[in-house]
Amino acid sequence: GAVVSQHPSRVICKSGTSVKIECRSLDFQATTMFWYRQFPKQSLMLMATSNEGSKATYEQGVEKDKFLINHASLTLSTLTVTSAHPEDSSFYICSARTSHSYEQYFGPGTRLTVT
Amino acid sequence: SQKIEQNSEALNIQEGKTATLTCNYTNYSPAYLQWYRQDPGRGPVFLLLIRENEKEKRKERLKVTFDTTLKQSLFHITASQPADSATYLCALEAPGGSSYKLIFGSGTRLLVRP
C-alpha cells in the first residue's frame, strides 16, 4: 500500500517552455501533498505544501508564479514549471500523506533538464 | 533556525556488521523524528518514525533511538547486507505546526562491502 507515482520520470525541455509534472497517490487518499527539489548530493528542499481544494503554501524563496501547483483531487497534484531555465534543472520529487499518519510516501521523482 | 546534521562522509562497513548512523539537531524540540532510505535517482522510502516520548523503536534489523536531551537520534542496521547500501535521511517535523512539514538532513551514504 501507500504507492505514489510521478509522471514523467524524465523530461528534457527547451529554455522558455513550460513543463507539467503529475503526482498521484494510487491506493490512498492524500490529505496533503508536498513538492521537493533535490540537487546532486544534497538533501530534499521543500518547495510547497498543497492541500486538496486549496491554494498551495510555498516556502520562502520559491516563486509561486514560476512553480504552479494544482491539487485538484485527493489523489492528484501537479507541478508546472513555467518559462523554464537551465537553473531549474533538478530532480523534483512529490510526496503525500494521509490525515492519520505523519510519514510521507514519496514518488519516484522526475529528472528535469532544461537546455 | 532549525538545523539537522548528518555525517556527510560515507560510512563503509563489512557485511554482517552493525551500521550506526547519527542525526543531530539544534534549536527546537520536535515531537517526532523519521528515518528514510533513498537510493540513487529514486524518491525516499519511509523506514521508521519515533516519537519524543519513545526512547527506542525496532523494525526487523533496524533500530532507532531518540535522545531529546542530547538532541540526537541513532539509526542502527544489524547484520548489514550489501543491499542495505543507500543514503539514509533523517527528518524532523518542522516547527510551528499544523502543516506536517518535514525538514530533512543531508543524509549519510552507507556502503556495505560483501
Side-chain angles (χ1 to χ4, degrees):
Chain A
V3 178
V4 175
S5 70
Q6 261 183 261
H7 179 79
S9 58
R10 288 179 178 272
V11 58
I12 300 172
C13 70
K14 292 187 182 299
S15 188
T17 61
S18 296
V19 173
K20 180 186 282 189
I21 303 170
E22 288 189 351
C23 177
R24 293 181 185 272
S25 57
L26 297 184
D27 51 0
F28 66 102
Q29 292 187 326
T31 309
T32 309
M33 287 185 166
F34 304 87
W35 287 95
Y36 297 84
R37 66 189 293 182
Q38 186 176 35
F39 291 106
K41 299 191 186 302
Q42 294 188 24
S43 190
L44 289 85
M45 297 301 297
L46 180 64
M47 299 174 67
T49 302
S50 77
N51 293 292
E52 182 262 339
S54 59
K55 289 184 178 179
T57 302
Y58 290 81
E59 295 299 300
Q60 194 171 10
V62 178
E63 299 175 58
K64 63 179 181 180
D65 294 331
K66 180 169 183 63
F67 298 100
L68 301 178
I69 292 170
N70 184 284
H71 193 159
S73 75
L74 284 171
T75 60
L76 173 63
S77 176
T78 60
L79 167 68
T80 301
V81 183
T82 63
S83 187
H85 289 103
E87 56 265 31
D88 297 324
S89 299
S90 188
F91 191 51
Y92 291 86
I93 314 175
C94 71
S95 71
R97 62 170 291 273
T98 66
S99 61
H100 51 269
S101 66
Y102 292 117
E103 60 264 32
Q104 293 183 18
Y105 299 98
F106 284 82
T110 296
R111 174 75 58 191
L112 170 64
T113 303
V114 184
T115 60
Chain B
S1 63
Q2 318 83 23
K3 193 172 179 181
I4 303 172
E5 291 182 347
Q6 292 186 257
N7 194 339
S8 58
E9 292 183 17
L11 178 63
N12 197 321
I13 65 169
Q14 184 74 41
E15 181 177 10
K17 302 293 186 184
T18 296
T20 298
L21 286 68
T22 305
C23 175
N24 295 296
Y25 60 94
T26 59
N27 293 343
Y28 74 123
S29 299
Y32 58 85
L33 183 150
Q34 304 183 30
W35 284 89
Y36 289 79
R37 167 184 173 143
Q38 186 176 23
D39 291 284
R42 306 291 296 174
V45 173
F46 171 75
L47 296 175
L48 281 167
L49 179 151
I50 186 166
R51 299 176 189 274
E52 61 179 340
N53 60 349
E54 297 176 310
K55 295 293 184 187
E56 180 180 298
K57 200 135 186 204
R58 293 175 184 261
K59 179 182 175 183
E60 297 173 355
R61 295 185 295 111
L62 308 181
K63 185 178 85 171
V64 171
T65 63
F66 193 8
D67 188 325
T68 55
T69 302
L70 291 178
K71 295 188 183 294
Q72 180 182 79
S73 175
L74 298 179
F75 176 80
H76 307 272
I77 305 176
T78 57
S80 60
Q81 303 166 1
D84 295 327
S85 299
T87 296
Y88 291 86
L89 307 169
C90 75
L92 281 68
E93 65 155 341
S98 59
S99 60
Y100 303 103
K101 297 190 300 186
L102 293 176
I103 300 174
F104 282 84
S106 56
T108 298
R109 188 174 171 213
L110 172 66
L111 298 170
V112 182
R113 304 187 309 273

